Amino acid sequence: MVRSGRSAELLVNTVVLVVLVTALSVVVGVALAWLTVRTDLPGAPVVGALLCVPLAMPSYVLGYLWVADFPQVMGLPGSVIVLTISCYPYVFLPAAAALRAVDPGLEEVARTLGRGSVRAVLGVTLRQIRPAVAAGALLVALYTLSDFGAVAMLRYEAFTVGIYHSYRASFDRVPAAVLACVLIVVALVVMVGERRARRGEVARVGAGVDSQPDRLPLGRLRPLALAVVGLVLAGGVLAPLVGLLRWVRAAAEVDVSWGPVLAAAATTAGVSGLAALVTIVLALPIGILAARSNGPVARSTEAVAQIGFALPGITVGLAVVFVGIRLVPGLYQQVPMLVFGYVVLFLPLAVGVVRSAVGAIPTALEDASGALGSGRIRTFVRVVAPLAMPGVLAGASLVFLSVAKELPATLLLRPTGTETLASAMWAQTEVAAYSQAAPYAAMLVAVAVIPAAVLGRSFGWGAGGSGRGVPARTAIAARSEETQVGAT
């Protein structure tokens, strides 16, 4: 089956989509990060916060709005546009954080050696932020590879769509499992390729720098810069919000019942909160151990916990279905098994953030506390925990946001008769009931706004650009740590 023409077609379609979305997201994300951090763009802090809004909007919600408003642009072009809008923040956020943390002295030295501003930027600054951009690009590639909802709505035959259709078309799960294995191999190839691309690279991101890099005047390029930012905000923020409000208004005109919507919202919040709590509790010891130890036990534990990062949601859902049916049938399609699937999927995100938050705390503080007579537990409670708390909250918010938006594993694992906002919206869009789907989409965005805002503040947006919460280097390291699956 792997060698069949159908599998080859799915593989080619998926690879083309991943390459195009990743390349466009890198270009857009880096350009926006540069404009908002290193230039005198008017209202840069507000613009930076607005550019994070797509994080609160699942790709399948954007796909639903695109299909409802632009049904003439489907397939590959529509999928590339929608997924680029959805994914560019994954590059923009770490690139912006890296640009704030770069050592401005290196760029000044390059200028004193005769390099112009453009050559200094290209030869020095962009090289410094390349690890953060590479980590963001990897996130985009894996997100695109595992996306199911958007490509399914846009009628693009990617691997995830083929797996889902194979799963639903027959009681024999083996063909779907074979396709899922191929998808896992592709994901691992992407990660190994990213690691090899960065091998031997020497990059330093502002270690020990207290000064902030100067903002460059845009001069005559200011109208062009404003046009670029305005185009992204119009396409990625304004148009989806206006479209969503228009469809909600259309839903009100057909007298949609809000009872099921509120019930689905409560289910989504409850399941997401429970999954975030379980995940962050499991991530704490792993992240702390990985941050404070370089031993084989720490490395092995972290590597096992990170495996889920390479697995697309639909493959994890299928795997948990197999386990549930064969080993614990009593838990099949029950909440504990659904939460277990979420933990497998999103534990790497929480471990990476916790590890980076704890690792950013100087060990000298713990030594000083010990010298003053405090034991290890008292030192952890009074010194480490308060300093690491913003990072822990950011990790919990990231998991909550990811669970609330997750679709394919939810479709496979949710208890019978239970609907989350994502599954309920999917059910409506499958029968082209766009008005009835609008309230679920709007509520899903509302549920995701709070954790997205917490996450945005952790990266420095919405806090006056000061980067309170998780320090910039912590945020960069969190993303970088997420790329180390299979390499440790």
Side-chain angles (χ1 to χ4, degrees), residues 303-322:
V304 170
Q306 297 268 11
I307 287 175
F309 185 67
L311 304 179
I314 196 164
T315 63
V316 172
L318 276 175
V320 176
V321 165
F322 277 103

Side-chain angles (χ1 to χ4, degrees), residues 186-235:
V186 175
L188 292 175
V189 168
V190 170
M191 300 191 69
V192 171
E194 191 270 349
R195 295 286 300 174
R196 287 184 176 276
R198 290 194 298 146
R199 180 173 294 177
E201 179 178 272
V202 177
R204 178 169 174 264
V205 183
V209 174
D210 295 327
S211 61
Q212 295 293 319
D214 296 330
R215 287 182 176 270
L216 303 176
L218 286 169
R220 290 180 298 178
L221 296 177
R222 177 169 296 186
L224 178 60
L226 290 174
V228 171
V229 173
L231 180 63
V232 175
L233 289 177

